[in-house]
Amino acid sequence: MNKITYYSFHIDGDDLCEVEKFVTTFNEPAYGEDYHNIMSVIREMGMNRGAEAKYFRHEKAAEALPPPYTSGDVRLYCSRITRDIVILGNGCVKITQKVQQSKDCLFHFELVNALSTQITQRIVSGDLKIVNKQFEGNYILKLEIVMSKIFEDAMNAVPAYGQERAAMSLDVVDRIEAILEMKGMSHRELAAALGKSESEISKWMRGTHNFTFDTIAKINLALGVKVIEIPKSGRKRTVMGRLHPDNAVVVPLSSIAPKRDIQEVKVSNPLYKIPEGQMLSLPFVLKKY
């Protein structure tokens, strides 16, 4: 992908690498929304954003997806080596508060942590280098770069609406963070303005929270800046076949240079109503847009 090189790892004796196991296990209707949230974020980061820390749940030397915004139970454990390299492991359904309390999750969690620790040590020692978003060097663990057909198909199967939703949500989070930085505001101050806890706002800012229009409106007021700007429509309306006053601008002749496409119109009873208490000097021109 443009921004990230994704790796996974293969355990001797298994037919599939770890991320392929995740895809084949969770690409099922029972896990639909949770699974597609994770795959959408993987694709969006890989294609457009890079592996920003705020998009991951941080757990020891490893991370987990999806970002901290969701209430879903499916987790994919991974290692964010740099902004350009991510190692994807396997995952599970996390139904306990702590990963250590879930036997299935703990196995995948500890496996990725051990791998991440070893790779970090080898980067520090110089045995392993990162060149052009890829690993180079000598490793105790044998790393083989292959294109996983299962993973490639999983990326291509991400629904368009899911990908668009992920991109839009991440854009909103990035926009709010930029406004906070511009105004010198903290998450705590935004939380106070919204009547929320700081921990809840921090969760919003780490990933793709499902912002409603009500929430966006409250954030607009709290920040004094519109988080989402929607261009005004330029659609023209007509009244009795004529240009509606709202879509025309009256420009005094003295303020413009003569142009061929501007026609001078002298009228005794103007179509346009003049606000009470104001005067309109003739001649004037009507400029259509």
Side-chain angles (χ1 to χ4, degrees):
M1 295 188 181
N2 298 335
K3 298 293 185 179
I4 299 175
T5 299
Y6 285 113
Y7 286 87
S8 191
F9 51 99
H10 189 280
I11 298 175
D12 283 346
D14 290 348
D15 294 331
L16 303 176
C17 72
E18 291 303 290
V19 75
E20 289 175 331
K21 294 178 186 176
F22 176 82
V23 169
T24 56
T25 299
F26 292 100
N27 187 15
E28 298 287 345
Y31 309 110
E33 185 173 352
D34 288 359
Y35 170 79
H36 286 305
N37 277 340
I38 291 173
M39 301 309 288
S40 295
V41 170
I42 290 174
R43 183 179 175 88
E44 175 64 18
M45 289 192 301
M47 295 297 293
N48 301 311
R49 297 172 188 271
E52 298 286 354
K54 61 186 175 183
Y55 301 145
F56 294 83
R57 298 170 184 262
H58 304 285
E59 302 180 20
K60 292 178 67 175
E63 284 85 18
L65 291 172
Y69 73 98
T70 62
S71 58
D73 297 325
V74 177
R75 297 287 185 272
L76 172 63
Y77 292 100
C78 51
S79 178
R80 189 179 65 94
I81 304 299
T82 67
R83 191 176 183 274
D84 305 320
I85 295 180
V86 175
I87 300 175
L88 300 173
N90 200 345
C92 62
V93 177
K94 184 173 178 289
I95 57 177
T96 58
Q97 185 173 4
K98 294 184 178 180
V99 66
Q100 289 81 2
Q101 298 170 338
S102 175
K103 182 179 178 180
D104 292 337
C105 288
L106 184 60
F107 172 78
H108 302 303
F109 170 75
E110 294 291 1
L111 193 59
V112 171
N113 265 291
L115 178 65
S116 180
T117 299
Q118 284 203 32
I119 288 176
T120 300
Q121 290 173 349
R122 274 143 190 78
I123 292 174
V124 172
S125 68
D127 293 333
L128 188 63
K129 296 181 180 179
I130 297 173
V131 180
N132 295 328
K133 303 180 184 178
Q134 293 188 1
F135 289 126
E136 287 188 4
N138 300 316
Y139 348 101
I140 292 177
L141 296 173
K142 182 178 72 173
L143 298 179
E144 182 179 3
I145 301 174
V146 296
M147 173 55 73
S148 165
K149 185 67 166 59
I150 292 176
F151 182 69
E152 183 181 14
D153 289 345
M155 288 291 92
N156 292 333
V158 172
Y161 78 88
Q163 184 60 32
E164 182 65 15
R165 179 181 61 188
M168 290 174 62
S169 298
L170 295 176
D171 281 341
V172 168
V173 171
D174 290 344
R175 166 73 169 158
I176 294 173
E177 286 283 20
I179 296 172
L180 289 175
E181 182 177 354
M182 178 184 69
K183 288 181 167 289
M185 289 179 64
S186 65
H187 290 174
R188 177 178 296 179
E189 291 170 319
L190 178 60
L194 295 172
K196 301 285 186 180
S197 67
E198 184 179 359
S199 61
E200 184 174 359
I201 298 301
S202 294
K203 286 182 179 180
W204 291 5
M205 296 301 103
R206 290 178 192 151
T208 50
H209 177 72
N210 186 20
F211 292 99
T212 64
F213 284 134
D214 285 347
T215 302
I216 292 294
K218 292 175 182 177
I219 294 175
N220 286 349
L221 294 175
L223 297 178
V225 178
K226 288 187 181 296
V227 172
I228 300 176
E229 291 282 356
I230 301 176
K232 300 297 184 182
S233 173
R235 181 171 59 89
K236 298 179 177 61
R237 294 173 292 169
T238 60
V239 179
M240 297 178 61
R242 298 182 180 182
L243 188 67
H244 192 278
D246 292 345
N247 294 307
V249 176
V250 177
V251 185
L253 282 178
S254 58
S255 67
I256 61 173
K259 293 182 180 180
R260 292 183 180 181
D261 62 337
I262 299 178
Q263 180 182 2
E264 182 176 311
V265 181
K266 294 184 178 181
V267 295
S268 56
N269 296 310
L271 171 66
Y272 305 95
K273 293 184 178 180
I274 304 169
E276 189 173 349
Q278 295 185 19
M279 298 295 292
L280 178 64
S281 299
L282 296 180
F284 65 90
V285 297
L286 304 182
K287 189 176 181 180
K288 294 185 179 180
Y289 292 90

